[in-house]
DNA sequence: CTTAACTTGAGACTCATTATCAATAAGGAT
DNA sequence: ATCCTTATTGATAATGAGTCTCAAGTTAAG
């Protein structure tokens, strides 16, 4: 955990940003859960714990964390974006139920490799990708 | 082309919707280009041609077209969604330059198959997917 | 041709996210 | 430790894509 705080400090330093208790709290809050939550949920969770941050600061902090690959932004097609931390989490993509909104995670290494090859083919330097499968889950069919 | 109009009529009938000249014009406008355009661009293109439609109607019509797989909605991560028709167009995914916004299309059948297998594995009935690679293109590196 | 029901368009509205800016806090220099 | 410069914060206004409203106009079934 201390390691993760160090990581935040490093990243802020690299960006020429200051280490503040708000940024620390936002980061800790995101780390505290493996759920996919939106900015408002993170904001309210902090508020309930008596920690005073503003929505603006939550958004601003998440931006930095996303830029440095510590948090993943998940656009689920409707409503606000969801976020999840990427610490000690192996890479995965998502399969999303269009009815109930359930999100499952999946990984197929073969797909990951094929993606790299596509990027090479088009002479792109690959930075990130979105791979989301949308369908109807067993319960909703 | 007449075929595509027929398709629109069929789809509208299936949805219990009426065939109107606005819906026809929106559909023809989308068909007229292979570009990835947003709703506003489509709206303005119609207006420039002297065709009177409202933004609301453009959005409403696109919704139906997307629902029936005649148009694909492309969320490019920033700004408005882009749309492209899917007539006589084989399936493809996108690789997008994060600097200049250039969009290239790619297909890897192997990935398509692997996706199907993932859906099966999670007992999802697969409806659609988003697969977008984000990176820096050759020119922007 | 009538009529009931659907569609349209202009603009109001929503809601996620971003910008503004005065007040506050951080942290390097002294 | 105390300034002092500069970044940050938070409350709120602003933005922008997309949706909703509803009166007026169309459609098409009978």
């Amino acid at each position: 955990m201390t390691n993760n705080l160090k990581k935040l400090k490093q990243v802020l330093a690299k960006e020429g940003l200051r280490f503040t208790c708000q940024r620390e709290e936002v980061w800790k809050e995101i780390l505290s859960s493996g759920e996919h939550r939106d900015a408002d949920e993170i904001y309210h969770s902090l508020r309930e714990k008596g920690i005073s941050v503003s929505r603006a600061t939550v958004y601003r902090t998440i931006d930095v964390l996303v830029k440095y690959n510590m948090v993943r932004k998940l656009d689920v097609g409707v409503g606000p974006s969801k976020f999840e931390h990427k610490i000690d989490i192996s890479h995965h993509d998502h399969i999303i139920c269009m009815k109930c909104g359930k999100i499952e995670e999946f990984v197929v290494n073969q797909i990951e490799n094929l993606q790299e090859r596509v990027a090479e083919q088009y002479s792109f330097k690959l930075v990130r990708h979105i791979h989301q499968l949308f369908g109807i889950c067993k319960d909703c069919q």
Side-chain angles (χ1 to χ4, degrees), chain A residues 74 76 94-98 101-104 132-135:
Chain A
L74 238 189
V76 295
H94 298 92
I95 179 162
I96 299 159
C97 178
M98 295 165 80
K102 183 164 64 193
I103 301 175
E104 304 268 14
Q132 293 170 5
L133 309 185
F134 291 89

Side-chain angles (χ1 to χ4, degrees), chain A residues 8-67:
Chain A
L8 176 62
K9 280 186 190 173
Q10 286 168 2
V11 156
L12 292 173
K14 208 179 294 178
E15 281 284 290
L17 300 172
R18 289 177 183 170
F19 179 80
T20 66
C21 56
Q22 286 90 340
R23 302 217 239 242
E24 178 182 346
E25 292 296 348
V26 171
W27 178 222
K28 287 200 299 189
E29 179 57 39
I30 293 174
L31 281 172
S32 74
S33 162
E35 302 290 302
H36 304 93
R37 294 186 294 172
D38 62 42
D40 228 53
E41 285 164 349
I42 292 163
Y43 167 75
H44 280 113
S45 187
L46 283 164
R47 279 315 189 83
E48 274 163 31
K49 290 173 184 167
I51 294 160
S52 167
V53 263
S54 67
R55 238 174 284 260
T57 296
V58 170
Y59 276 108
R60 285 188 285 231
T61 304
I62 287 173
D63 279 351
V64 180
L65 298 172
V66 168
K67 180 168 179 187

Side-chain angles (χ1 to χ4, degrees), chain A residues 91 93 106-118 126 129 131:
Chain A
H91 169 72
D93 290 298
F106 73 88
V107 207
V108 181
N109 286 323
Q110 226 179 323
I111 293 179
E112 303 297 324
N113 296 336
L114 288 165
Q115 283 177 162
E116 286 292 344
R117 217 156 313 151
V118 170
L126 197 56
H129 68 265
H131 196 185

Side-chain angles (χ1 to χ4, degrees), chain A residues 1-9 27 31 70 87:
Chain A
M1 195 60 100
T2 301
N3 248 352
N4 291 330
L5 271 192
K6 228 177 271 174
K7 196 163 183 180
L8 176 62
K9 280 186 190 173
W27 178 222
L31 281 172
M70 296 157 76
I87 299 302

